[in-house]
Amino acid sequence: MELKLISKSLKLSELDLAYDPQRIQSYCENCPNFAQNWSCPPLSFSAPELFSARDRIFLTACKIEFSEAERMVWRGQKIDYFNLNFLSELKRNALQAMRALEPVLPGSLALAFGACDYCKVCSRPTKPCRKPELMRYSLEALGYDLSFLSEYYLDLPLLWAQNELPEYFALLGALVYSTDALAKWTEARILDLFKSQLEPCVSELT
């Protein structure tokens, strides 16, 4: 198993091609997290409202590649175990690494690599979020087509497990920020910092 990071910095307006909140929410309605998880739709605000004065996005995919031997082992019901354990932990670690960039770029906002699962059972809809300092929204929850984003901007088609693992999985997350916040930071250095935050977490998993 090998983890690769694929990133691209874009104008936030370029993502308009993938923004289709009504269609994406119609898919989310079939998910058990719909209206039961504070990071998921329906949301009381739109992506443009959340992004506010920010004008750029650092789009990142965590690509997990599998060997043929690993794909032979992780088959059938074992895939569910893999998803619930390894992938869930990787999602949390990747978001933690992305959140670490927020104080580096004042006013920036990390976007999660999937639905929040910090709590075993989310407090929605009866109580406020228990961990708002950790919870972030994903691009999909905000109405973006992840398959389009990944293939069009990162040249990385998303693959899904059937009875066995695909050649790779990809988790997409991001950081939205304003051009002014870059200051002395180049986007290449942002990627290096993200890698440095994520790699220790990944080494623990693998």
Side-chain angles (χ1 to χ4, degrees):
M1 190 159 41
E2 183 179 0
L3 176 70
K4 294 181 179 179
L5 298 179
I6 303 172
S7 299
K8 192 168 187 178
S9 180
L10 303 160
K11 290 181 180 178
L12 197 50
S13 59
E14 292 183 68
L15 266 65
D16 289 350
L17 290 172
Y19 187 53
D20 193 352
Q22 287 188 332
R23 178 173 63 86
I24 300 302
Q25 179 165 313
S26 71
Y27 301 151
C28 293
E29 289 171 1
N30 298 314
C31 174
N33 283 332
F34 184 78
Q36 301 297 316
N37 185 311
W38 282 116
S39 70
C40 296
L43 303 176
S44 61
F45 52 85
S46 67
E49 289 170 336
L50 179 66
F51 296 158
S52 186
R54 305 169 182 103
D55 61 347
R56 294 197 66 82
I57 184 165
F58 177 67
L59 183 65
T60 299
C62 295
K63 182 185 181 187
I64 310 104
E65 297 180 344
F66 305 105
S67 67
E68 284 298 323
E70 288 166 336
R71 293 176 68 195
M72 289 297 293
V73 171
W74 294 100
R75 299 172 68 92
Q77 293 182 345
K78 289 184 179 181
I79 294 176
D80 293 334
Y81 178 86
F82 180 88
N83 288 338
L84 290 172
N85 290 270
F86 180 84
L87 282 188
S88 293
E89 192 67 20
L90 178 58
K91 282 195 307 180
R92 286 191 289 269
N93 290 339
L95 176 55
Q96 178 182 325
M98 197 64 85
R99 277 200 318 265
L101 301 181
E102 291 179 341
V104 174
L105 294 176
S108 63
L109 177 68
L111 300 179
F113 291 76
C116 180
D117 60 359
Y118 280 108
C119 301
K120 267 192 173 180
V121 179
C122 184
S123 59
R124 189 178 185 180
T126 58
K127 295 179 181 179
C129 176
R130 299 187 191 98
K131 299 179 180 179
E133 74 282 3
L134 299 178
M135 192 272 285
R136 296 292 185 275
Y137 302 98
S138 69
L139 283 161
E140 188 171 26
L142 293 167
Y144 290 92
D145 185 331
L146 288 192
S147 294
F148 180 87
L149 284 177
S150 188
E151 186 162 4
Y152 187 81
Y153 291 112
L154 302 178
D155 195 25
L156 183 67
L158 296 185
L159 303 181
W160 311 99
Q162 299 296 329
N163 291 321
E164 62 181 18
L165 291 175
E167 293 178 21
Y168 62 83
F169 274 136
L171 302 175
L172 263 68
L175 185 79
V176 289
Y177 60 96
S178 68
T179 303
D180 295 340
L182 276 175
K184 62 182 179 181
W185 287 88
T186 64
E187 284 160 348
R189 288 186 68 194
I190 295 173
L191 177 58
D192 288 341
L193 179 57
F194 177 71
K195 286 180 178 178
S196 69
Q197 294 287 333
L198 182 60
E199 282 171 354
C201 303
V202 171
S203 63
E204 293 177 7
L205 292 176
T206 56

